Each structure stands twice: as structure tokens, then as C-alpha cells.
Amino acid sequence: HGRIVVNAVTIETASRAFDFFKKKGLEKEMLMINIARTRGVDMRGGLNLFSANNPVFIITGSLS
């Protein structure tokens, strides 16, 4: 009993991991996590906005 976890930053790696778990007959799940950080946009007014970072994919596989 256990769980295999793959963290990926490219769509291709996430897809390969998901397909691998499928071929092995594992119960699979994929999550996509998005993070954004604030950054200043106006030196005079002190305005800020969120700037998105690239997503991270978390793929898990386990026996059903």
C-alpha cells in the first residue's frame, strides 16, 4: 500500500506521469496549483497587483 507522487512544471511531464499511472492500473489524480505574488506597479501611489507564476502539477497514483 502506498502512493506515488510526481511534481511537474511542464504539461508534457504531467501528461507522461498521468499516462504511466493509467497503464499500470493505478488510481490517479492530477492537481494544478497556481501561485501569484504581489508586485508594485506605481512608485508614487503605492499600487500593487498580483503577478502569476507558472503552475505546478501534482500527480498521484495509488492502488485502488
Side-chain angles (χ1 to χ4, degrees), residues 6-24 28-32 56-60:
V6 175
N7 296 312
V9 295
T10 67
I11 297 167
E12 292 80 10
T13 302
S15 178
R16 287 181 186 142
F18 201 74
D19 289 344
F20 176 81
F21 292 156
K22 182 178 180 180
K23 287 178 187 173
K24 296 297 181 182
K28 60 204 174 310
E29 180 179 37
M30 185 183 314
L31 303 171
M32 182 177 73
V56 174
F57 300 94
I58 303 171
I59 307 95
T60 60

Side-chain angles (χ1 to χ4, degrees), residues 1-3 24-27 61-64:
H1 300 277
R3 181 177 299 238
K24 296 297 181 182
L26 299 175
E27 188 73 30
S62 60
L63 294 173
S64 25

